[in-house]
Amino acid sequence: TLIQLASNDSSKRRSPGSRVLVLQARPAWSSHRLESDPASWGAAMLEEGARLYGDWVGRPAWLQTHAWRRARSAPGETFAGPIVLPSPRAGSLGLAGEAFDAAAGAEGAFLSGLALARALSAEA
């Protein structure tokens, strides 16, 4: 499938009137369409979403396409792991996310968060 992630984004919005679904495409698929018309790749993503999750996905009340031009596009483009920085006041600041794990996507973000938790608890 061309879809790497499908997430319910409704919880990030104040009083959503309907379900808000975010579809994220896989890096290889995206890199080949970066300069294409967003309407064409947006339609392809909706079609694939409908195939995977149900016809309702292909009939959104509204659609907003966005290309993340600075997003990581290759699995090798990662940091070695999460980063822990000392705070000048107290405690530490931790950085984690999909860019901090080779698995990428939602799985990479999750694994990076676990690694950050281990690093912060080892520091305590």
Side-chain angles (χ1 to χ4, degrees):
T1 177
L2 65 92
I3 294 177
Q4 174 172 298
L5 172 74
S7 64
N8 180 350
D9 206 49
S10 304
S11 65
K12 296 180 183 176
R13 303 174 191 267
R14 289 187 181 166
S15 305
S18 59
R19 182 178 302 141
V20 178
L21 182 68
V22 174
L23 300 176
Q24 180 180 349
R26 295 189 180 279
W29 189 87
S30 297
S31 65
H32 288 94
R33 288 156 185 84
L34 195 56
E35 301 304 324
S36 300
D37 177 23
S40 68
W41 53 260
M45 291 183 71
L46 287 177
E47 183 178 317
E48 181 71 354
R51 185 184 72 78
L52 292 170
Y53 308 114
D55 291 339
W56 65 273
V57 176
R59 297 185 309 272
W62 58 273
L63 172 67
Q64 179 181 0
T65 57
H66 183 77
W68 294 100
R69 296 188 178 282
R70 302 275 187 250
R72 179 171 50 95
S73 61
E77 295 176 3
T78 62
F79 293 98
I83 297 172
V84 178
L85 303 169
S87 169
R89 294 192 177 111
S92 299
L93 171 67
L95 304 174
E98 72 171 297
F100 296 85
D101 190 273
E107 180 184 8
F110 176 77
L111 293 172
S112 173
L114 289 178
L116 177 59
R118 285 191 298 273
L120 290 173
S121 64
E123 221 181 60

